Amino acid sequence: MKYEFGHDCHIPFNLHKSYPEQIPSKQIFHFFRRLTGGPKRSYYHLTLALILIPTLLFWSFVIPYICINLTPALAAIVGIIEVLMFSGMFACAYRDAGVIPRKPKHSDLRKQGKNNIKVTLKAEQIQLRFCQTCKFYRPPRCIHCSTCDNCVERFDHHCPWLANCVGARNYNNFFTFIFFLVVKILFVVSLSGAHIGLVIEDFAEKDGFGQGIVKAISSAPPDNIIISVILFLFASLAFFPTTFLLGFHIMLISRELTTNEYLKGFFKGRASPYSHGCIGNFVRILLPIYRPGTMRRVDPTYLANLNKEPTIV
């Protein structure tokens, strides 16, 4: 049994009128409207600084020593991890999360004035709420984000640290970011620790342990360990919250829940009607399937059919 809600996110590219001109919202557009994100970007800039500054210090003070005394292969591995991490971060921050364009303000296509209608999915009653701002019945799992002022398909949460919603079109990018961020943190902790241990050991063999620590602190790079100690402590503190966040989202994917559904207690004590089994959920959610967005341009036929009443086919 399949439900059609008049919201087909696979929009054809016979496109005409620009989204920002037709439907205002709080979205911020970049690069000729090909990139977008939410408002309030200050936390995103802070996130960028908290990642970029340690990364530059790590490559300047730790990696040169590791390449000389261990193996350059570790530097190559870290480089690949960082490319994947930053690609996931930027894609999540600047990609349309799954925004559904709103109807014009004068439109009100509620069926008999009802604010809510119900449909059945796998014996589960799903309530479709009428969005007073966007003027359509929101499809299942679609939530209106108050920060971005848009209805977002499969809304997970609004991430202030990336200044964008996390939804149907960028959730896999979000998961890629936090997964490789945790892996990167593990490499920073282990390689910074290795740098500290190896430098102190080299000096301790000649001058004893106490003098070895003094010389390790006062020597010139790459034998200076001050930056490595700072990186080790910073990465160790960052490891626990980021690992908890990663584990939380692994749990959500395995059960096919969104953060919004979990926090509000939806489907508590029973399986989600959207679940396709643990492996099936990971495949469906994390595979990089291309989903055309609606933020930059809108097909007029899409807007014309946006508020069709749900029908069973």
Side-chain angles (χ1 to χ4, degrees), residues 60-71:
S60 300
F61 292 92
V62 179
I63 290 296
Y65 185 90
I66 296 299
C67 289
I68 295 170
N69 294 275
L70 294 178
T71 171

Side-chain angles (χ1 to χ4, degrees), residues 170-304:
N170 65 350
Y171 184 84
N172 56 346
N173 304 124
F174 175 77
F175 187 85
T176 298
F177 167 57
I178 59 173
F179 176 82
F180 285 105
L181 177 61
V182 171
V183 176
K184 162 73 182 303
I185 289 172
L186 286 172
F187 269 91
V188 171
V189 170
S190 58
L191 294 183
S192 297
H195 182 211
I196 295 167
L198 290 172
V199 169
I200 292 176
E201 184 181 8
D202 288 342
F203 285 119
E205 288 179 356
K206 303 173 185 176
D207 306 301
F209 184 74
Q211 283 297 316
I213 294 177
V214 172
K215 286 191 175 183
I217 294 173
S218 59
S219 297
D223 291 330
N224 190 293
I225 64 169
I226 293 177
I227 298 298
S228 291
V229 171
I230 295 172
L231 289 172
F232 180 86
L233 295 174
F234 178 77
S236 298
L237 290 174
F239 174 76
F240 296 101
T242 53
T243 303
F244 173 81
L245 181 64
L246 177 62
F248 176 69
H249 280 277
I250 289 174
M251 179 274 293
L252 291 180
I253 295 172
S254 67
R255 298 172 60 183
E256 232 303 19
L257 292 172
T258 64
T259 300
N260 179 70
E261 290 168 346
Y262 179 84
L263 294 179
K264 291 184 177 179
F266 291 177
F267 318 121
K268 193 172 183 179
R270 61 191 189 279
S272 168
Y274 308 105
S275 179
H276 291 78
C278 183
I279 296 176
N281 293 338
F282 276 92
V283 171
R284 285 171 58 87
I285 294 173
L286 297 183
L287 276 185
I289 299 171
Y290 178 67
R291 299 180 177 92
T294 62
M295 286 301 299
R296 187 163 62 96
R297 296 183 181 277
V298 179
D299 187 349
T301 59
Y302 173 80
L303 289 175

Side-chain angles (χ1 to χ4, degrees), residues 33-47:
R33 295 175 180 168
R34 294 181 180 275
L35 303 177
T36 184
K40 302 178 182 178
R41 313 289 291 179
S42 56
Y43 282 114
Y44 169 67
H45 297 146
L46 176 61
T47 303

Side-chain angles (χ1 to χ4, degrees), residues 1-6 117 119 128 308-313:
M1 187 175 292
K2 177 184 176 184
Y3 292 91
E4 293 182 348
F5 297 92
I117 55 178
V119 296
L128 309 184
K308 284 184 176 179
E309 179 188 354
T311 54
I312 302 176
V313 294

Side-chain angles (χ1 to χ4, degrees), residues 47-188:
T47 303
L48 204 56
L50 288 174
I51 294 176
L52 276 178
I53 293 173
T55 297
L56 293 174
L57 292 174
F58 183 68
W59 280 91
S60 300
F61 292 92
V62 179
I63 290 296
Y65 185 90
I66 296 299
C67 289
I68 295 170
N69 294 275
L70 294 178
T71 171
L74 289 171
I77 294 171
V78 172
I80 293 170
I81 290 168
E82 288 180 349
V83 168
L84 294 171
M85 179 191 71
F86 280 115
S87 64
M89 177 182 178
F90 291 134
C92 185
Y94 291 105
R95 193 178 184 189
D96 167 16
V99 171
I100 300 177
R102 67 186 68 177
K103 295 289 284 183
K105 288 185 178 180
H106 63 271
S107 300
D108 191 345
L109 301 181
R110 280 177 287 189
K111 183 182 177 184
Q112 299 174 352
K114 293 181 179 179
N115 287 326
N116 303 314
I117 55 178
K118 291 184 179 181
V119 296
T120 303
L121 179 62
K122 293 184 179 178
E124 188 82 36
Q125 286 285 320
I126 306 295
Q127 186 168 256
L128 309 184
R129 298 180 182 274
F130 187 84
C131 181
Q132 301 291 344
T133 303
C134 298
K135 303 299 181 184
F136 59 77
Y137 287 106
R138 294 196 293 258
R141 319 185 91 179
C142 175
I143 299 292
H144 188 94
C145 175
S146 59
T147 304
C148 295
D149 196 27
N150 283 311
C151 279
V152 179
E153 184 190 12
R154 198 189 179 277
F155 178 84
D156 189 85
H157 67 287
H158 180 89
C159 181
W161 301 103
L162 296 178
N164 200 7
C165 289
V166 178
R169 297 191 71 246
N170 65 350
Y171 184 84
N172 56 346
N173 304 124
F174 175 77
F175 187 85
T176 298
F177 167 57
I178 59 173
F179 176 82
F180 285 105
L181 177 61
V182 171
V183 176
K184 162 73 182 303
I185 289 172
L186 286 172
F187 269 91
V188 171

